[in-house]
Amino acid sequence: MTTSPLPFDITPSDHPVSDADREAVLANPGFGQYFTDHMVTIRWTEDQGWHDARLQPYGPLSLDPATKVLHYSQEIFEGLKAYRQADGSVAVFRPEANGERFQRSARRLAMPELPIETFVEAIDVLVRQDEAWVPPSGEQSLYLRPFMFATEVGLGINHPANEYLFMVIASPSGAYFPRGIKPVSVWLSKEYVRAAPGGTGDAKTGGNYAAAFVAQAEAVRQGCDQVVWLDAVEHRWVEEMGGMNLYFVRGTGEDAEIVTPQLTGALLPGITRDSLLRIASDLGHSTGEVKISTEDWRQGNADGTISEVFACGTAAVITPVGSVRSNDGDWTVGDGQPGPITQRLRAELLGIQTGQRPDPYGWMHPVR
Ligand SMILES: *Cc1c(COP(=O)(O)O)cnc(C)c1O
């Protein structure tokens, strides 16, 4: 198998979206509704390994109805963002970290591992081509969605697929809170479980979401914005929220301790989570990866020892949690408003991502 970088075959679109239409989309992109002019595809087969890397016009795929992913969900994905920097250039937040996680997800789903250099190069090739789709500034971004799925045709289940397609698509993304930060309400799900020990909870795979929609719908029926998942065995330990990790602030001010549920194998190791552990610690806070129960949470809010709770992930960066609803009662987090530490961490992280603040960690990957 070759170790030299894969050559990309570049076919620019002959019908790109007009400048005027693109500007209209960028004025109000929302999330995940509009896609750029191009996409990347790379194939893998048992015989040839990774090959046939292309940048081509964005468009539909043609799949045999017996394609394995449609039946057995052998699929993984990633999510990361390219931001317009203060100097007008474009940079992607921690793409190597996403590349590493993509390899871990691939191992869990018995799929081939894409070299991290190829993962990053695929993103560079697409962002370079569709640079005009990176919104001008502020909290807007170009959301990148790398994914891979089984393309082998056949219904047999005695072995993982012997053919895969890796792709990257891109979608302009608006500021998550265009009218100011609004805390979310959460529903503690005791009926449904997202991930069990030994399962796929720490892999970024579509199947986890397929199994989660029913609980998210239940949260909405309960009048909440988001579901919070508890552990599968005792229904007691807090794991994560919908598609975001959770943080708890104990105490207030400079002495506040900032903790997040430990990685048990059942929750997704978020790159935003990891980045915030670093930033919070460098701001002088003590940090920790802990076990926290729903009872600890409720008691901490009741006696004031937990002052703030927030969720974090690529799409929304940081979202305050304002209230909790469960079968055992409802309560408010702090005064129900975004707390000072939540807002400070959000400003620090977004500052690095948009190039408004120095990047002491080397997290921003310039696209040239
Ligand atoms: C992607 C994801 C997260 C957040 O990860 P980031 O790398 O911070 O975007 C959290 N939970 C789930 C279930 C996810 O799929």
Side-chain angles (χ1 to χ4, degrees):
M1 231 173 259
T2 168
T3 52
S4 62
L6 273 187
F8 274 80
D9 184 87
I10 310 268
T11 309
S13 171
D14 58 11
H15 54 276
V17 171
S18 72
D19 289 351
D21 285 352
R22 191 183 58 243
E23 297 307 324
V25 166
L26 293 186
N28 189 14
F31 181 78
Q33 299 172 57
Y34 303 98
F35 297 91
T36 65
D37 293 308
H38 298 88
M39 62 187 191
V40 163
T41 56
I42 310 179
R43 296 197 168 273
W44 186 92
T45 56
E46 237 158 42
D47 303 345
Q48 295 182 71
W50 294 105
H51 66 283
D52 197 16
R54 294 174 186 273
L55 175 103
Q56 56 185 308
Y58 185 92
L61 303 171
S62 171
L63 294 176
D64 188 288
T67 301
K68 278 219 162 116
V69 66
L70 300 176
H71 303 273
Y72 307 127
S73 298
Q74 212 188 351
E75 188 268 0
I76 58 174
F77 67 97
E78 272 301 328
L80 66 170
K81 282 177 168 176
Y83 288 90
R84 184 74 61 185
Q85 302 296 287
D87 66 1
S89 67
V90 173
V92 180
F93 185 66
R94 302 191 70 181
E96 297 86 1
N98 291 89
E100 275 175 39
R101 187 171 65 190
F102 198 63
Q103 290 192 331
R104 290 199 302 272
S105 297
R107 283 200 290 278
R108 178 60 183 83
L109 275 285
M111 300 167 92
E113 291 174 43
L114 185 70
I116 294 172
E117 312 83 77
T118 310
F119 180 93
V120 174
E121 174 68 2
I123 286 164
D124 283 350
V125 165
L126 181 59
V127 175
R128 220 179 279 138
Q129 184 74 31
D130 284 337
E131 201 211 296
W133 286 91
V134 182
S137 65
E139 296 181 16
Q140 296 189 321
S141 60
L142 183 65
Y143 181 79
L144 301 161
R145 168 54 60 86
F147 59 109
M148 169 164 57
F149 57 92
T151 49
E152 184 185 344
V153 173
L155 301 181
I157 48 160
N158 291 331
H159 63 90
N162 59 17
E163 280 184 32
Y164 297 87
L165 182 63
F166 168 79
M167 300 186 66
V168 190
I169 57 176
S171 174
S173 165
Y176 202 80
F177 297 109
R179 282 170 292 279
I181 303 181
K182 192 180 158 292
V184 295
S185 54
V186 300
W187 165 250
L188 303 185
S189 175
K190 294 210 171 171
E191 184 178 356
Y192 300 108
V193 164
R194 174 180 173 275
T200 56
D202 61 354
K204 214 166 167 76
T205 176
N208 289 341
Y209 280 82
F213 290 125
V214 66
Q216 174 60 26
E218 170 71 7
V220 170
R221 247 195 323 277
Q222 295 287 345
C224 296
D225 300 307
Q226 290 286 336
V227 60
V228 161
W229 296 106
L230 307 177
D231 77 287
V233 179
E234 296 180 68
H235 298 299
R236 177 170 174 224
W237 304 105
V238 178
E239 293 194 328
E240 60 178 312
M241 191 176 92
M244 302 175 82
N245 295 113
L246 284 168
Y247 267 92
F248 297 81
V249 180
R250 290 177 177 154
T252 55
E254 294 192 348
D255 296 332
E257 186 191 11
I258 299 176
V259 300
T260 187
Q262 64 184 194
L263 300 177
T264 57
L267 55 158
L268 202 283
I271 291 160
T272 318
R273 173 189 182 279
D274 178 73
S275 306
L276 288 171
L277 274 177
R278 204 51 205 279
I279 292 175
S281 159
D282 288 354
L283 288 175
H285 293 287
S286 62
T287 59
E289 301 181 72
V290 300
K291 273 182 92 156
I292 180 160
S293 68
T294 55
E295 205 34 54
D296 296 336
W297 185 352
R298 191 227 285 262
Q299 190 55 42
N301 280 148
D303 64 22
T305 50
I306 294 177
S307 58
E308 304 177 34
V309 179
F310 63 87
C312 66
T314 296
V317 188
I318 288 183
T319 303
V321 176
S323 60
V324 184
R325 164 162 286 198
S326 74
N327 281 334
D328 309 322
D330 303 351
W331 69 92
T332 304
V333 176
D335 59 3
Q337 297 304 311
I341 290 174
T342 301
Q343 296 188 65
R344 170 88 196 273
L345 289 170
R346 187 170 185 277
E348 292 285 340
L349 180 54
L350 267 167
I352 293 172
Q353 290 172 329
T354 55
Q356 317 278 341
R357 289 177 196 225
D359 170 21
Y361 314 106
W363 282 341
M364 299 312 292
H365 167 84
V367 177
R368 297 204 178 81

